[in-house]
Amino acid sequence: MRRRTNKSKGIFPCQLTELEKKLHEDYFLDSPDLTTKQIDFDNKSCVILYLNHMVRKQYLYNQLIKPIQFSTTASYEQFKRIVPVAGDEALNTLDAIGEELIGGAACVYIEGEDYALTFPVPKLEKRNPERAEAESLIFGPKISFTESLDTNLNIVHWRMDTKTLKVEKFIIGNTVPTEVRLIYLEELANEDNVIEMRRRLEELSVDDIIESSTLTQYIEDNSYTIFPQFLVTELPDRFCYSLKEGKLGLLVDKSPTGIIAPINFLSFFESTEDLYTRWSMGSFIRVMRIVAMFISVVLTPLYVAALTFHYEIIPTALLVSLGHSRSRVPFPPLIEAFVLEILIELVREAGARLPTKVGQTMGIVGGIVIGQAVVQAGFTSNILIIIVALSALASYTAPSYLMGSAIRIIRFPIILLAGMWGFIGIIFSLSFIVIHLIKQRSLNRPYFAPIYPFQPRDVDNSLIRLPFLSSNKRAYSGSPKKITRFKKPNKNKPKDIDE
């Protein structure tokens, strides 16, 4: 299960005390957790070594130590027969034994032998699958991934009981090795995508990967863009649905999220909840999210541009109200908007970092109290409070937290250009963002598909959702092996019963 190091420190055969001393000095640096249990036989002695906090002690005693104590002879063949623990390994280097001990194994060595045996008896601390928090749903499964790779693999296999599900194992990390699983449906996943993902994982040489979101930053196509190129999800149903669409999935040990690739820009505004509701409601909500994204990006810059350069586009009645609202504000619209946007971000960040109940109170009460105080102090206008609040709400409609954060960040340079050049600055910013998105790739696949390159057949898989019986094709932009999901039923009008 763990990576073997290239170093080789052969010390066998050796004395029992010598093995313990070498492990203490060369591998565990005199750690007090390395525990030894010596068992003497008529003609030989053996020692059992393990890390005290990494093994199930009761299980270790009942299934390993107790059978060996009652063994009639000291031989590895005899131990293999009487110890009911599967997965034993014969190792002859100090590094290999040390890695097994760190992973929760117990090492059994008979004095004078050329190798040692290890038996896996790990104590795994893990939580049970719970309700998803970052991607909460009203309809559909509520279960989420956990930090245990075994649990996550169990959930995926439970949801996808098919022999075509392919799982490949990779060990990444030179200092702290971490297990990563590449998962895909062999009959659907594009072979070029599989080869490219496999190459990136095999060529990755880092000390360690903290979490799945960290792994995406190592293997994505462009590390300098603000937009995420892989989808990170905590929902097994979304993970498995993506596999059924011909995409690839990655699960990282000790991470409660899975990675989906390749992905396109519009996928970050989709949710599996769109599939669980009626097609009309699902399409409406999906379009609403995209419109909300656009509103979040341009609403505050339009306010700044209009009040700085383009008074003529504001209706007279609204202009009077704006003038009265800004009569006490000493700052230009650009500074006013920046102050309020930063204030909203501070309130949001404080609410997210505080405990749940306190954070909710801080978000609501803090926003109201601070907003009212800012207006009364003359730092901003009432109308800008409404505009900034609408922009913030619109950015939260994105199901992906990473994409919602990217939208909130790109607002600031657009506001700056709107304050400098008005509508020209806004158009320039939006054009730059579109060109940037067109140039991006996700696992060497077009990131802005199906808009560019334009794929009209993929509209029902991105912008809207058609009824299931009318949507029997997978997205062409993902290049799955099989495009057709199912054969459309014959919709010929049935004959009348009297005919």
Side-chain angles (χ1 to χ4, degrees):
M1 294 296 290
R2 284 164 293 282
R3 177 184 59 84
R4 291 288 181 264
T5 58
N6 294 325
K7 297 181 290 183
S8 179
K9 297 182 179 180
I11 64 169
F12 299 112
C14 67
Q15 300 294 321
L16 301 183
T17 55
E18 184 181 357
L19 173 60
E20 181 182 356
K21 181 180 177 182
K22 282 287 185 180
L23 284 172
H24 267 297
E25 292 179 350
D26 298 346
Y27 213 91
F28 295 107
L29 304 177
D30 293 325
S31 171
D33 297 309
L34 181 61
T35 306
T36 60
K37 171 68 175 177
Q38 183 171 330
I39 302 175
D40 298 318
F41 295 90
D42 292 338
N43 57 343
K44 290 183 180 180
S45 297
C46 80
V47 66
I48 301 174
L49 304 100
Y50 56 91
L51 289 180
N52 194 45
H53 60 277
M54 291 300 297
V55 298
R56 291 178 288 171
K57 297 177 184 177
Q58 191 67 30
Y59 183 82
L60 173 70
Y61 175 76
N62 291 330
Q63 306 298 327
L64 185 64
I65 297 178
K66 190 175 180 180
I68 292 178
Q69 281 180 329
F70 288 96
S71 176
T72 56
T73 60
S75 71
Y76 288 140
E77 290 74 18
Q78 173 72 3
F79 291 170
K80 289 180 181 180
R81 286 195 297 267
I82 63 176
V83 172
V85 179
D88 57 275
E89 289 190 62
L91 305 175
N92 60 2
T93 65
L94 200 64
D95 292 299
I97 294 173
E99 290 178 6
E100 287 294 318
L101 292 176
I102 291 176
C107 174
V108 179
Y109 177 63
I110 300 175
E111 192 171 31
E113 294 290 339
D114 294 332
Y115 64 93
L117 278 184
T118 58
F119 294 89
V121 285
K123 180 176 67 172
L124 301 176
E125 299 294 344
K126 61 182 182 180
R127 62 183 174 92
N128 295 323
E130 300 172 350
R131 186 186 182 98
E133 295 184 3
E135 299 175 81
S136 58
L137 300 176
I138 299 176
F139 297 102
K142 307 298 190 295
I143 191 173
S144 66
F145 284 129
T146 72
E147 288 79 8
S148 170
L149 180 60
D150 291 336
T151 301
N152 295 341
L153 287 171
N154 177 274
I155 294 173
V156 172
H157 278 282
W158 170 62
R159 293 189 62 89
M160 303 183 68
D161 186 12
T162 172
K163 62 181 181 181
T164 63
L165 185 68
K166 190 74 177 290
V167 180
E168 299 181 13
K169 185 177 78 172
F170 299 86
I171 302 297
I172 300 176
N174 300 324
T175 303
V176 183
T178 301
E179 186 174 347
V180 177
R181 295 295 183 98
L182 171 60
I183 307 174
Y184 57 92
L185 288 175
E186 196 169 19
E187 63 177 349
L188 296 179
N190 187 285
E191 189 64 26
D192 292 337
N193 293 343
V194 176
I195 293 173
E196 177 63 19
M197 180 62 80
R198 191 183 294 139
R199 180 189 67 81
R200 296 187 186 187
L201 292 174
E202 289 174 345
E203 294 180 357
L204 182 60
S205 179
V206 294
D207 285 344
D208 69 319
I209 50 175
I210 303 173
E211 208 257 353
S212 56
S213 298
T214 308
L215 178 61
T216 62
Q217 298 177 58
Y218 283 120
I219 63 175
E220 62 189 1
D221 295 63
N222 182 7
S223 300
Y224 296 98
T225 181
I226 194 174
F227 296 101
Q229 294 142 65
F230 293 156
L231 182 63
V232 178
T233 180
E234 63 174 349
L235 296 175
D237 65 323
R238 182 165 195 179
F239 186 88
C240 295
Y241 175 77
S242 299
L243 297 183
K244 296 173 187 176
E245 291 297 297
K247 293 180 171 57
L248 313 181
L250 292 175
L251 291 178
V252 181
D253 193 18
K254 308 176 189 67
S255 173
T257 54
I259 302 170
I260 301 171
I263 211 73
N264 58 55
F265 177 73
L266 294 178
S267 297
F268 290 94
F269 302 95
E270 301 172 9
S271 171
T272 49
E273 196 171 31
D274 303 341
L275 305 174
Y276 305 141
T277 58
R278 297 288 299 172
W279 69 271
S280 52
M281 178 60 68
S283 297
F284 172 77
I285 294 174
R286 189 174 294 181
V287 172
M288 185 187 69
R289 294 192 195 108
I290 298 173
V291 173
M293 180 269 297
F294 183 77
I295 291 174
S296 176
V297 169
V298 303
L299 193 58
T300 306
L302 284 176
Y303 171 88
V304 174
L307 289 186
T308 306
F309 297 100
H310 310 286
Y311 280 102
E312 65 277 2
I313 71 167
I314 304 175
T316 304
L318 182 59
L319 187 61
V320 173
S321 177
L322 276 171
H324 178 72
S325 178
R326 296 200 73 254
S327 59
R328 297 179 54 212
V329 178
F331 308 113
L334 176 62
I335 303 300
E336 178 191 10
F338 260 117
V339 169
L340 201 54
E341 287 283 359
I342 293 174
L343 184 62
I344 289 292
E345 288 300 311
L346 288 175
V347 172
R348 183 194 66 81
E349 187 67 16
R353 301 295 166 233
L354 289 170
T356 304
K357 295 182 179 180
V358 180
Q360 293 175 351
T361 305
M362 174 65 188
I364 298 173
V365 178
I368 295 174
V369 172
I370 295 176
Q372 186 66 25
V374 167
V375 172
Q376 290 182 352
F379 282 97
T380 186
S381 62
N382 287 315
I383 294 178
L384 184 59
I385 287 281
I386 298 172
I387 290 175
V388 171
L390 286 175
S391 298
L393 287 174
S395 68
Y396 297 141
T397 59
S400 170
Y401 177 82
L402 294 176
M403 181 57 71
S405 300
I407 291 171
R408 289 193 295 271
I409 291 174
I410 64 175
R411 243 193 346 247
F412 287 95
I414 299 178
I415 292 172
L416 178 62
L417 291 179
M420 294 171 58
W421 299 326
F423 287 165
I424 296 177
I426 296 177
I427 298 300
F428 175 82
S429 303
L430 296 179
S431 300
F432 178 83
I433 292 172
V434 171
I435 294 172
H436 177 74
L437 291 173
I438 289 174
K439 292 175 62 179
Q440 300 310 306
R441 313 282 288 180
S442 175
L443 206 65
N444 287 338
R445 298 292 175 182
Y447 184 67
F448 210 43
I451 300 175
Y452 183 87
F454 184 57
Q455 288 280 4
R457 296 170 293 186
D458 286 354
V459 171
D460 64 316
N461 291 297
S462 54
L463 292 173
I464 61 174
R465 184 179 86 76
L466 297 179
F468 286 129
L469 293 179
S470 300
S471 178
N472 69 326
K473 303 288 186 182
R474 294 183 176 88
Y476 287 84
S477 56
S479 301
K481 286 183 180 178
K482 291 172 60 177
I483 294 294
T484 304
R485 292 194 185 101
F486 60 90
K487 185 178 180 181
K488 287 187 177 181
N490 189 358
K491 291 189 177 182
N492 293 332
K493 184 178 180 180
K495 294 183 179 181
D496 189 82
I497 192 171
D498 296 330
E499 299 180 15

Short mmCIF file of all heavy atoms in Angstrom, two decimals, residues 14 41 89 103 124 164 276 289 303 308 392 416:
data_model
loop_
_atom_site.label_atom_id
_atom_site.label_comp_id
_atom_site.label_asym_id
_atom_site.label_seq_id
_atom_site.Cartn_x
_atom_site.Cartn_y
_atom_site.Cartn_z
N CYS A 14 20.58 -10.46 11.88
CA CYS A 14 21.09 -9.63 12.97
C CYS A 14 20.48 -10.09 14.29
O CYS A 14 19.58 -10.93 14.32
CB CYS A 14 20.79 -8.16 12.72
SG CYS A 14 19.02 -7.78 12.77
N PHE A 41 11.48 -18.96 22.36
CA PHE A 41 11.15 -20.36 22.13
C PHE A 41 12.32 -21.22 22.63
O PHE A 41 13.30 -20.70 23.18
CB PHE A 41 10.89 -20.59 20.64
CG PHE A 41 9.66 -19.86 20.14
CD1 PHE A 41 9.76 -18.56 19.65
CD2 PHE A 41 8.42 -20.46 20.17
CE1 PHE A 41 8.65 -17.89 19.20
CE2 PHE A 41 7.30 -19.81 19.72
CZ PHE A 41 7.41 -18.50 19.24
N GLU A 89 3.88 -9.40 4.43
CA GLU A 89 4.93 -9.13 3.47
C GLU A 89 6.28 -9.52 4.06
O GLU A 89 6.52 -9.33 5.25
CB GLU A 89 4.97 -7.64 3.08
CG GLU A 89 3.81 -7.19 2.22
CD GLU A 89 4.04 -5.78 1.67
OE1 GLU A 89 5.02 -5.59 0.92
OE2 GLU A 89 3.26 -4.88 2.02
N GLY A 103 2.82 2.88 8.56
CA GLY A 103 1.49 2.65 8.01
C GLY A 103 0.57 1.84 8.89
O GLY A 103 -0.57 1.57 8.51
N LEU A 124 -7.28 3.05 12.08
CA LEU A 124 -7.63 4.16 11.19
C LEU A 124 -8.67 5.05 11.85
O LEU A 124 -9.77 4.59 12.17
CB LEU A 124 -8.16 3.62 9.85
CG LEU A 124 -7.19 2.70 9.08
CD1 LEU A 124 -7.88 2.17 7.83
CD2 LEU A 124 -5.93 3.45 8.72
N THR A 164 -16.95 -2.49 -15.47
CA THR A 164 -16.14 -1.60 -16.31
C THR A 164 -15.51 -0.46 -15.53
O THR A 164 -14.81 0.37 -16.11
CB THR A 164 -16.98 -1.03 -17.46
OG1 THR A 164 -18.03 -0.22 -16.92
CG2 THR A 164 -17.58 -2.14 -18.30
N TYR A 276 -32.55 16.22 -10.59
CA TYR A 276 -33.56 15.64 -9.71
C TYR A 276 -34.88 16.40 -9.77
O TYR A 276 -35.89 15.90 -9.27
CB TYR A 276 -33.04 15.61 -8.27
CG TYR A 276 -31.73 14.89 -8.11
CD1 TYR A 276 -30.75 15.37 -7.24
CD2 TYR A 276 -31.46 13.74 -8.83
CE1 TYR A 276 -29.53 14.71 -7.10
CE2 TYR A 276 -30.24 13.08 -8.70
CZ TYR A 276 -29.29 13.58 -7.83
OH TYR A 276 -28.10 12.92 -7.70
N ARG A 289 -28.39 30.92 -12.69
CA ARG A 289 -27.03 30.98 -12.12
C ARG A 289 -26.08 31.70 -13.06
O ARG A 289 -25.23 32.48 -12.62
CB ARG A 289 -26.52 29.56 -11.85
CG ARG A 289 -27.27 28.80 -10.78
CD ARG A 289 -26.51 27.55 -10.39
NE ARG A 289 -27.36 26.62 -9.64
CZ ARG A 289 -27.82 25.48 -10.12
NH1 ARG A 289 -27.50 25.11 -11.35
NH2 ARG A 289 -28.58 24.70 -9.39
N TYR A 303 -22.36 50.88 -12.05
CA TYR A 303 -22.65 52.00 -11.16
C TYR A 303 -21.50 53.00 -11.17
O TYR A 303 -21.70 54.22 -11.31
CB TYR A 303 -22.91 51.47 -9.75
CG TYR A 303 -23.01 52.53 -8.68
CD1 TYR A 303 -24.23 53.15 -8.39
CD2 TYR A 303 -21.88 52.93 -7.96
CE1 TYR A 303 -24.32 54.12 -7.40
CE2 TYR A 303 -21.97 53.90 -6.97
CZ TYR A 303 -23.19 54.50 -6.70
OH TYR A 303 -23.27 55.47 -5.73
N THR A 308 -19.45 58.20 -12.92
CA THR A 308 -18.18 58.89 -13.18
C THR A 308 -18.16 59.54 -14.55
O THR A 308 -17.70 60.68 -14.70
CB THR A 308 -17.01 57.90 -13.05
OG1 THR A 308 -17.07 57.25 -11.78
CG2 THR A 308 -15.67 58.64 -13.19
N ALA A 392 -23.09 40.53 -4.33
CA ALA A 392 -22.60 39.48 -3.44
C ALA A 392 -23.53 38.27 -3.44
O ALA A 392 -23.08 37.12 -3.52
CB ALA A 392 -22.45 40.02 -2.02
N LEU A 416 -12.06 48.93 -11.09
CA LEU A 416 -10.97 49.88 -11.28
C LEU A 416 -10.96 50.44 -12.71
O LEU A 416 -10.86 51.67 -12.91
CB LEU A 416 -9.63 49.21 -10.97
CG LEU A 416 -8.37 50.05 -11.17
CD1 LEU A 416 -8.40 51.27 -10.24
CD2 LEU A 416 -7.12 49.22 -10.94
#
